[in-house]
Amino acid sequence: AFCSHALLQEDLEPFVVLDAAEDDRFRFNQLTTGPEAIAFYAGAPLLVHRDGTQYVIGCLSICDRAPRDAFPPTEAAYLAVLASAVVREMELRPRRPAIDQEGVAERVMMLENFFARSNIHVEPSLIQIIAQKAEPRVVQSEHFVTRRGDPGDSMYFLSRGSCSCTLNGRELERLPAGACFGELAIMNMCRMRAANVNEKTIQKRCVRSADVRARERCELLQVSFRDAWPLLHKYPVFWKLLEAISDTRMQRISRFSDDSSDQAEHGVKDSRGSAESFSEASAAPALPEVSSSTNGPDTRVSKSPQGPDSGEAI
């Protein structure tokens, strides 16, 4: 009964009952009588957006057996923020079932369009594998896709919507549908893995150097380092593709910024430097043979490139 009122509010603000025993709507409710009776209740609606329409899919509630004299606006605001966080976590969960041929076909088409724009030939078999490995994500408007300091263990293909890449409140780049980001993170992790750097050090060094926020509802495909690592060995063109994506993005960021000194101040120059310091020209790192073990590929190499001091990447 409490949650029903929270869901049906027209203003969609947190619904608050300070003392259910004194509220005519609830004083005879079975939830408000007996030794386990609810006296205080507050619930914030869970809101999602689809094609410009807002829907209420549930609510995040807190309750207490003791009544309260007040529920300050700041606490109501905190509850609403937590409700938004719940929606974000729900959207982050993969929606793809174990077998989803239609979804794979759609992702193949999106990736084909993306790779065509990159002017790099990619084998259909690689596109098919990426489409099967990629996890769909939906991020609501003004929610973050990644935050500065987050682990840099995934890259993203933006299928629908647009994002903004910012650092210290300054917009570095706008990412339209068809864009890709996070490739620097994957490249740096692969270089370190090929150099036999231990997992803990990789996780510490390879972190996001900027925030990426959805400017509208966005649909993305997420490719993890775990899936990209064996692909880079089997398909060397994938590495060249990542470098091409990285170079193109850095050129856009340079044009988007006012001057190079301001870029350095906000971290763009450092981000690129950490990526380039790990490679020579377009040569991929000395990737080891991929093991068939379920524990992942063998990391042993006979000759390894020197790793950077920092693996930061957008």
Side-chain angles (χ1 to χ4, degrees):
F2 288 100
C3 292
S4 297
H5 284 80
L7 294 174
L8 296 175
Q9 283 201 121
E10 293 185 0
D11 58 8
L12 299 178
E13 294 295 323
F15 175 70
V16 179
V17 178
L18 297 176
D19 189 351
E22 299 297 327
D23 193 309
D24 292 337
R25 296 169 295 181
F26 305 108
R27 67 171 58 184
F28 300 112
N29 189 296
Q30 61 180 354
L31 296 175
T32 63
T33 59
E36 303 296 324
I38 295 175
F40 168 80
Y41 173 90
L46 304 179
L47 307 174
V48 298
H49 298 79
R50 293 291 185 275
D51 300 324
T53 303
Q54 183 172 260
Y55 299 94
V56 182
I57 62 171
C59 64
L60 176 66
S61 305
I62 58 175
C63 56
D64 197 347
R65 297 192 183 97
R68 295 194 183 184
D69 296 327
F71 190 63
T74 53
E75 294 189 16
Y78 292 151
L79 184 59
V81 170
L82 287 175
S84 297
V86 169
V87 172
R88 183 189 179 197
E89 290 301 317
M90 293 172 63
E91 296 284 17
L92 292 180
R93 294 185 305 171
R95 298 181 299 164
R96 172 165 53 96
I99 299 177
D100 178 13
Q101 295 302 326
E102 289 187 5
V104 171
E106 181 180 354
R107 292 192 288 276
V108 166
M109 184 177 300
M110 189 276 289
L111 291 170
E112 286 176 341
N113 292 336
F114 174 84
F115 292 142
R117 285 192 290 271
S118 69
N119 293 322
I120 296 180
H121 173 70
V122 181
E123 298 177 23
S125 57
L126 173 58
I127 294 178
Q128 184 74 22
I129 291 175
I130 295 175
Q132 293 173 352
K133 297 291 187 179
E135 295 288 351
R137 278 189 59 181
V138 176
V139 181
Q140 299 296 333
S141 176
E142 298 305 316
H143 287 195
F144 286 99
V145 182
T146 63
R147 298 298 305 269
R148 184 181 184 185
D150 284 351
D153 56 359
S154 296
M155 62 181 294
Y156 301 88
F157 296 92
L158 182 56
S159 176
R160 294 183 178 88
S162 61
C163 295
S164 177
C165 177
T166 61
L167 183 63
N168 299 330
R170 177 181 175 84
E171 187 174 49
L172 304 178
E173 180 185 15
R174 291 187 182 178
L175 301 162
C180 175
F181 58 94
E183 74 288 339
L184 289 177
I186 294 293
M187 294 169 70
N188 286 339
M189 292 192 79
C190 287
R191 290 180 179 118
M192 292 186 184
R193 182 72 175 271
N196 213 22
V197 178
N198 66 68
E199 191 69 24
K200 185 176 181 180
T201 301
I202 292 176
Q203 293 294 333
K204 182 179 180 180
R205 290 183 179 180
C206 293
V207 296
R208 308 290 181 187
S209 63
D211 297 325
V212 177
R213 184 199 296 264
R215 303 179 68 244
E216 55 189 302
R217 181 180 180 274
C218 293
E219 297 182 10
L220 309 99
L221 297 180
Q222 177 178 346
V223 178
S224 68
F225 165 71
R226 181 183 302 175
D227 291 325
W229 170 247
L231 289 179
L232 286 168
H233 170 77
K234 189 173 182 179
Y235 298 93
V237 69
F238 191 31
W239 180 264
K240 295 183 180 296
L241 174 66
L242 295 182
E243 287 196 324
I245 293 171
S246 173
D247 290 343
T248 300
R249 288 187 61 236
M250 287 305 171
Q251 292 173 11
R252 289 203 305 268
I253 291 176
S254 297
R255 290 195 298 267
F256 198 84
S257 301
D258 294 332
D259 53 69
S260 58
S261 61
D262 204 32
Q263 293 176 34
E265 177 184 350
H266 289 83
V268 179
K269 183 176 180 180
D270 292 341
S271 175
R272 184 179 184 181
S274 64
E276 292 181 341
S277 63
F278 227 156
S279 63
E280 297 179 3
S282 298
L287 297 175
E289 292 295 328
V290 178
S291 169
S292 58
S293 169
T294 56
N295 293 327
D298 187 0
T299 60
R300 291 171 295 178
V301 292
S302 58
K303 184 178 181 180
S304 302
Q306 180 65 33
D309 293 332
S310 172
E312 288 191 353
I314 296 175

